[in-house]
Amino acid sequence: MKKNVRKDEIRNIAKRLFIENGVKATSVNEIVKEAGIAKGTFYIYYNCKDELIDEVFNEISIDFIKHMFVDIEHKNNVPKDEAVDHIVDRAVEGFEKNREFLEIMKNDISNNKEFKYKRNFIEQFKHKFESSVNISINEGVLDSDVTLYIIVDMFIGACYNAIILGTPYTIGEVKKNLKGIIHKVLK
Amino acid sequence: MKKNVRKDEIRNIAKRLFIENGVKATSVNEIVKEAGIAKGTFYIYYNCKDELIDEVFNEISIDFIKHMFVDIEHKNNVPKDEAVDHIVDRAVEGFEKNREFLEIMKNDISNNKEFKYKRNFIEQFKHKFESSVNISINEGVLDSDVTLYIIVDMFIGACYNAIILGTPYTIGEVKKNLKGIIHKVLK
């Protein structure tokens, strides 16, 4: 019990520091200092910083997926294009509210080594999408998870350019075109 | 005449330094030192470093487009999907041979402010594609240039992950799925 509480504390502190300063700029030293624990204690819970990053991002991803599927996740016959539009709207709204999150997703993570959270995200997303829309994505809709992965990265990149850099197109234009692309890919 | 020669020299030196060390790590000071000219002379030709970056990238883009359209650019009835496959193969081959170029396209440029070379790239690409395949992209094929822009960024990002990071999928898998996505988007 005590062990989990302390692990949660470390994760919450890391999450806040990641969002405030970025993942790369946040060291294990800073995290243990904020948590008021010895460095050795940190390594009881986590083998390395990457393992912690993975857990923090997994937590953020779960919240983000919940946010995207609000209103449709307990239905099971949502028309495919309607579900896509809903999810794109909610995802963009989520990124607009959490610019820091979008920024670290884009810069600190996707440019880096592979993290498990991304695979979990894709698994969970697929599961929720399939149950809301009542289809099987891998049967004739998408070639494979590789396509889903590429689409997720495309989505993050396009939102980053529009929301964070504000160039060359507005988020309104980007949103409309992302919907169009995804409708076609899911045909 | 002399003026153009010197401007070309500066651009060639910058291109080499950008590829060797990255765009961000290359200063105007280094460029003028290598060129053996005074800093004031640099500013006769370019208003700022960004203008030089734009010219260098424009030059690289033109070469890259030429490479992508080899064998099909003088035809004018290439089937759409066949043209896409050809262009994807050639682009991936180009990135594999010029990893540094892919790296700076991904990191130093797309994360940055807007550069004109990207719009030129899209314009030229559209022009060559339309004349090889003999269609008009904006008439019913793509919603708008925004879609083309998003697809170009998606392409660079996916190639970067596979070729430079080697994760989570191989370039072979990514190439196959990129073709699938683009076929669908161009339907």
Side-chain angles (χ1 to χ4, degrees), chain A residues 106 111 141 147 161 177 184, chain B residues 106 111 141 147 177 184:
Chain A
K106 176 65 169 37
N111 283 359
V141 181
T147 291
N161 289 341
N177 283 271
K184 283 181 166 181
Chain B
K106 177 64 169 37
N111 283 359
V141 181
T147 291
N177 282 271
K184 283 181 168 181

Side-chain angles (χ1 to χ4, degrees), chain A residues 20 25 36 44 74 85 96 142 151 177 180 182 187:
Chain A
E20 277 172 18
I44 295 172
H74 298 299
D85 290 351
E96 281 178 319
L142 280 189
I151 297 295
N177 283 271
I182 300 171
K187 278 269 169 332

Side-chain angles (χ1 to χ4, degrees), chain A residues 57-75:
Chain A
F57 273 77
N58 202 35
E59 201 179 271
I60 296 177
S61 294
I62 291 169
D63 287 347
F64 204 78
I65 286 183
K66 262 190 210 149
H67 175 79
M68 285 197 286
F69 282 90
V70 158
D71 300 332
I72 63 167
E73 76 168 332
H74 298 299
K75 300 178 180 173

